[in-house]
Amino acid sequence: MIHEKDLVFTLHTTWTSYILRVNETNHLEHLYYGRRIRTTDHIEALFDKHTIPTGNAVAYDEEHPTLTLDNICLEYSGYGKGDHREPAILFSRAQGDRVADFLYKEHRIIKGKPRSFSGLPESYGDKTHCTTLIIVLIEKSGGLRLELTYTTFDGSDVIVRRSAITNDTGETVVLQRLASLQLDLPRSTYDLVTFDGAWARERYRSVFPLRPGVHVNDSKSGTSSSRHNPCVFLTARKTNENQGDCYGCNLVYSGDHAQFIEVSPYGKTRLLTGLNPATFSWQLHSGEKFHAPEAILTYSHEGLNGASRNFHRFINNHIIRGSWKYHQRPILVNNWEATYFNFSEHTLLTLAKSAADLGIELFVLDDGWFGSRDDDTTSLGDWTVNTKKLPDGLASLSKKIHGMGMLFGLWCEPEMVSRKSQLYRAHPDWMVSLPDRNPSPGRNQYLLDLTRKEVRDHLFESLSTVWRLAEVDYVKWDMNRTFSDMHGNAASYRQEEFLHRYMLGLYDLMQRFVDAFPHILFESCASGGNRFDLGMLCYMPQTWTSDNTDALSRMYIQEGTSCGYPLSAMGAHVSDSPNHQTLRQSNIESRFNVASFGVLGYEMDLSRLQGQEKESIRQQIAFYKLHRSLFQ
Ligand code: GLA
């Protein structure tokens, strides 16, 4: 529910309230975010008082000599008018001027949540769940129109924020930053909770007290990354898992991102989230509009657990979509750690038979089924069956798996090309590379230029053909390296825009696939959980959490991941002991006890199981099925 009185806007969800107003200089002032309040009578008690000018501060104008933008909680900060904190927006005009001062122009409140049609993934909700406030601000000199959108999601206590800018100045403006969300809080006695890591060590939770200055939680790797997940929390001191103030924020985006958390000289806190300004730049021609990705915000007085539950509810209801939403996910067996590249139809069928016998519901054929791929040096891009390993083809294998009563799933890595491939030989310029140097390899492979429509068309055609032929029920969409040598060889845009345009290309491609194959269960993956974010979850309802399947490591990885994401989004497998990544030994019960707190799978050679272990697994599967709806 949202209402407005005298240009004070009150946004209520079931348990929270968010209040802002248009102040005397026409800026948007943030007044309150927290536990739901019953009345907004005497709301002026929350207005910033600015009774005295402070030392060397810049006053906004001569009519308001005591008002400095540097010490007010604002909704969206410009640059060069006295607020010296991190700005939400930065751009330069043709002459290089960067001053940005956005003032209230108009607003409207509508039922539901309008779509942006920006090509970016977005959350969804209908009139029964959501109300939207759109505030339009105009840059003081005219011509630049900023739209800030706030959508309340009552049931999950989430507010979705969006920002978009339209250029009607008659000249081109270079956009360097357009934050998705700014949240200014009047205090700074918070701990910052972030989820940091690396390959095989994703999203370990770190907690540290805020200090004066700016902390940046970001990724410059081309993906949302495991270095620093875009999900962050601010918790008031003494907040624990179940009580205390907790603010949470996440971004619906899968590429470079940045969260700036700043404690100002006056002890206020600013949180900004959005595209990473370090790697972003966009030429906005006159007449054009640019949309920043959506950001989601929550508050709970029930500690980190309360905020996590809000996010889980929101993601399950308003991010995950398609036929697998709220649909129990099948228990799978994946052949990767059982066989790696070394398999034949016979070994796969032996594994599948043991899996079916134990009650497993989905057989996933991982890497190595295509081109002439016997190791990771070749064939990415050649999405036709490897007839040396599978002489009867995929359709025949799939039929046999279906015949055992299981679903059939297939691995792919659409965004990549190997130099040793037919695709590279036919289209060397489709590889992301600069004309004057050799591109840097990652796992012996290179990125395909998804900013190009012909590349996306080719991928759509070649993979659709395979999935149709093999009657695929599940797809694991992998992505096994970070970005380098960012450059489009046929680009009609400025090369600085490559990274964001790549993401728009990826989203376009995934949308085409999910539209064409609505029945397929997609699981995204990036060398494990190196692209675990809300952008991917808008297309693919689950993500492979980590290549590290060791039970002890997984406790940290899954616990961190669960702070921001529901268990139904987290792929978790029981694998061999000693574990292939850590070499640690753990018993079959411990491995299951951890993996069951996610979408369960097995990734080991089940055909070699003996007596007790086999019985344990059979019981685990029966137990998980019994309690699956609770676990997921
Ligand atoms: C990545 C994935 C693994 C597996 C391999 C196959 O590392 O995270 O699960 O699919 O690729 O090459």
Side-chain angles (χ1 to χ4, degrees):
M1 186 178 50
I2 301 180
H3 60 81
E4 177 270 331
K5 192 175 163 226
D6 303 328
L7 294 184
V8 174
F9 303 93
T10 309
L11 289 64
H12 290 302
T13 63
T14 308
W15 297 104
T16 72
S17 300
Y18 186 108
I19 311 177
L20 60 142
R21 70 152 180 156
V22 179
N23 76 355
E24 59 270 45
T25 50
N26 267 331
H27 292 96
L28 283 187
E29 181 183 348
H30 177 80
L31 297 179
Y32 176 81
Y33 187 31
R35 224 168 155 152
R36 181 154 175 160
I37 53 173
R38 272 186 230 123
T39 170
T40 48
D41 293 349
H42 309 297
I43 195 74
E44 58 285 357
L46 292 175
F47 295 180
D48 185 75
K49 304 297 184 297
H50 51 264
T51 45
I52 48 160
T54 43
N56 67 344
V58 170
Y60 176 63
D61 59 15
E62 289 170 0
E63 288 77 61
H64 303 90
T66 58
L67 186 154
T68 174
L69 294 177
D70 206 23
N71 195 16
I72 302 182
C73 288
L74 294 165
E75 279 300 313
Y76 208 83
S77 287
Y79 176 71
K81 293 301 287 178
D83 183 354
H84 305 309
R85 291 166 288 181
E86 284 290 330
I89 181 165
L90 264 182
F91 57 82
S92 22
R93 296 168 187 273
Q95 299 303 316
D97 291 325
R98 305 178 81 182
V99 174
D101 185 20
F102 284 90
L103 302 175
Y104 171 82
K105 169 83 184 337
E106 62 197 16
H107 75 271
R108 56 185 200 281
I109 295 171
I110 50 181
K111 280 265 157 223
K113 178 177 190 277
R115 283 191 59 186
S116 74
F117 299 102
S118 61
L120 287 163
E122 20 188 314
S123 58
Y124 60 94
D126 60 26
K127 292 180 180 165
T128 54
H129 297 108
C130 313
T131 316
T132 298
L133 163 69
I134 301 165
I135 302 183
V136 177
L137 307 164
I138 302 285
E139 210 285 317
K140 180 87 177 182
S141 64
L144 283 168
R145 180 188 156 94
L146 180 65
E147 246 175 57
L148 302 182
T149 307
Y150 301 74
T151 303
T152 53
F153 286 79
D154 293 344
S156 44
D157 288 317
V158 162
I159 297 175
V160 168
R161 302 264 307 261
R162 271 203 317 239
S163 57
I165 186 157
T166 310
N167 177 8
D168 286 319
T169 59
E171 58 182 36
T172 298
V173 159
V174 178
L175 200 56
Q176 286 124 6
R177 176 186 296 202
L178 185 74
S180 299
L181 162 160
Q182 171 175 325
L183 176 67
D184 279 3
L185 297 168
R187 298 190 291 132
S188 57
T189 44
Y190 296 105
D191 287 337
L192 175 63
V193 185
T194 60
F195 302 93
D196 313 303
W199 172 77
R201 171 160 62 76
E202 295 94 334
R203 289 169 300 287
Y204 273 50
R205 192 207 300 201
S206 357
V207 183
F208 45 95
L210 290 186
R211 291 189 313 148
V214 184
H215 178 94
V216 185
N217 180 77
D218 79 342
S219 165
K220 295 183 278 290
S221 67
T223 60
S224 53
S225 91
S226 56
R227 309 164 84 86
H228 308 288
N229 194 267
C231 180
V232 297
F233 295 91
L234 285 172
T235 56
R237 297 283 147 75
K238 297 201 179 133
T239 291
N240 60 28
E241 287 287 322
N242 294 312
Q243 64 177 40
D245 288 336
C246 180
Y247 297 92
C249 169
N250 204 344
L251 193 66
V252 188
Y253 194 63
S254 317
D256 284 359
H257 63 88
Q259 292 69 48
F260 294 90
I261 299 94
E262 176 167 13
V263 172
S264 81
Y266 304 103
K268 291 185 163 64
T269 302
R270 170 163 297 170
L271 167 66
L272 292 171
T273 185
L275 297 167
N276 194 337
T279 59
F280 169 78
S281 171
W282 196 268
Q283 208 159 15
L284 193 65
H285 302 291
S286 195
E288 288 179 353
K289 184 171 185 178
F290 182 85
H291 295 263
E294 274 188 11
I296 71 170
L297 192 61
T298 196
Y299 162 82
S300 172
H301 66 275
E302 292 182 339
L304 198 56
N305 237 334
S308 288
R309 281 198 303 269
N310 293 349
F311 278 163
H312 291 186
R313 215 173 298 133
F314 176 78
I315 294 167
N316 280 329
N317 283 304
H318 306 291
I319 290 279
I320 305 297
R321 56 199 91 203
S323 54
W324 286 94
K325 176 177 176 174
Y326 281 129
H327 201 93
Q328 293 195 11
R329 312 285 166 73
I331 302 172
L332 66 81
V333 61
N334 179 307
N335 76 307
W336 179 240
E337 289 194 10
T339 67
Y340 293 102
F341 292 106
N342 186 15
F343 57 81
S344 62
E345 184 180 286
H346 177 72
T347 45
L348 296 179
L349 289 175
T350 312
L351 175 62
K353 206 168 161 306
S354 319
D357 172 58
L358 290 166
I360 289 179
E361 299 151 319
L362 160 65
F363 178 87
V364 180
L365 172 54
D366 209 281
D367 197 353
W369 59 265
F370 53 92
S372 49
R373 187 135 160 124
D374 291 324
D375 58 34
D376 62 15
T377 62
T378 76
S379 303
L380 290 169
D382 297 346
W383 300 115
T384 48
V385 72
N386 180 334
T387 43
K388 248 170 65 195
K389 288 186 199 173
L390 301 171
D392 294 343
L394 279 176
S396 147
L397 175 67
S398 162
K399 206 164 159 215
K400 289 171 193 153
I401 301 283
H402 284 143
M404 295 178 192
M406 282 192 290
L407 301 170
F408 179 66
L410 201 57
W411 178 96
C412 64
E413 198 177 356
E415 298 162 69
M416 296 294 158
V417 64
S418 308
R419 271 198 164 153
K420 281 193 230 157
S421 69
Q422 288 175 15
L423 183 72
Y424 178 73
R425 281 192 289 280
H427 299 283
D429 62 315
W430 285 8
M431 177 175 76
V432 173
S433 60
L434 285 137
D436 59 350
R437 70 190 85 181
N438 241 333
S440 303
R443 206 196 187 197
N444 307 304
Q445 64 197 50
Y446 302 87
L447 283 145
L448 283 173
D449 183 356
L450 293 199
T451 70
R452 288 170 75 167
K453 186 167 178 306
E454 67 271 34
V455 176
R456 302 198 298 271
D457 288 347
H458 169 82
L459 291 170
F460 183 76
E461 289 311 323
S462 52
L463 283 161
S464 295
T465 309
V466 179
W467 297 350
R468 259 191 216 109
L469 242 151
E471 294 184 41
V472 163
D473 308 293
Y474 160 106
V475 165
K476 177 173 171 188
W477 181 298
D478 209 342
M479 197 278 187
N480 281 316
R481 58 159 293 173
T482 51
F483 284 57
S484 69
D485 304 279
M486 300 69 145
H487 179 91
N489 284 311
S492 54
Y493 51 81
R494 288 192 329 153
Q495 297 292 348
E496 291 101 310
E497 297 172 8
F498 176 83
L499 281 171
H500 185 57
R501 289 189 185 272
Y502 180 96
M503 292 317 305
L504 292 171
L506 172 63
Y507 292 140
D508 171 70
L509 183 60
M510 291 194 294
Q511 188 64 55
R512 284 171 73 180
F513 278 124
V514 298
D515 286 345
F517 297 92
H519 70 285
I520 287 185
L521 171 61
F522 286 91
E523 176 158 345
S524 83
C525 172
S527 295
N530 291 277
R531 195 167 61 180
F532 201 125
D533 59 65
L534 298 179
M536 295 307 289
L537 287 176
C538 281
Y539 306 89
M540 306 189 174
Q542 57 192 60
T543 304
W544 179 224
T545 311
S546 176
D547 276 351
N548 186 345
T549 48
D550 169 67
L552 182 63
S553 311
R554 271 294 184 124
M555 294 211 299
Y556 296 100
I557 296 169
Q558 291 177 203
E559 190 255 359
T561 308
S562 76
C563 291
Y565 304 89
L567 305 193
S568 55
M570 294 161 43
H573 298 176
V574 173
S575 61
D576 250 339
S577 177
N579 181 270
H580 292 196
Q581 287 78 32
T582 63
L583 307 182
R584 198 183 343 255
Q585 301 201 27
S586 52
N587 65 41
I588 191 70
E589 275 76 31
S590 299
R591 282 175 272 153
F592 170 74
N593 289 343
V594 175
S596 57
F597 281 81
V599 178
L600 181 66
Y602 287 79
E603 190 161 337
M604 58 201 287
D605 190 353
L606 299 171
S607 65
R608 287 210 301 218
L609 286 179
Q610 302 291 340
Q612 187 49 43
E613 207 172 29
K614 193 169 181 175
E615 257 338 282
S616 299
I617 292 183
R618 194 187 301 284
Q619 283 166 23
Q620 292 170 355
I621 288 169
F623 177 83
Y624 188 81
K625 283 180 180 170
L626 197 62
H627 300 288
R628 173 162 32 196
S629 64
L630 176 64
F631 280 125
Q632 294 185 0

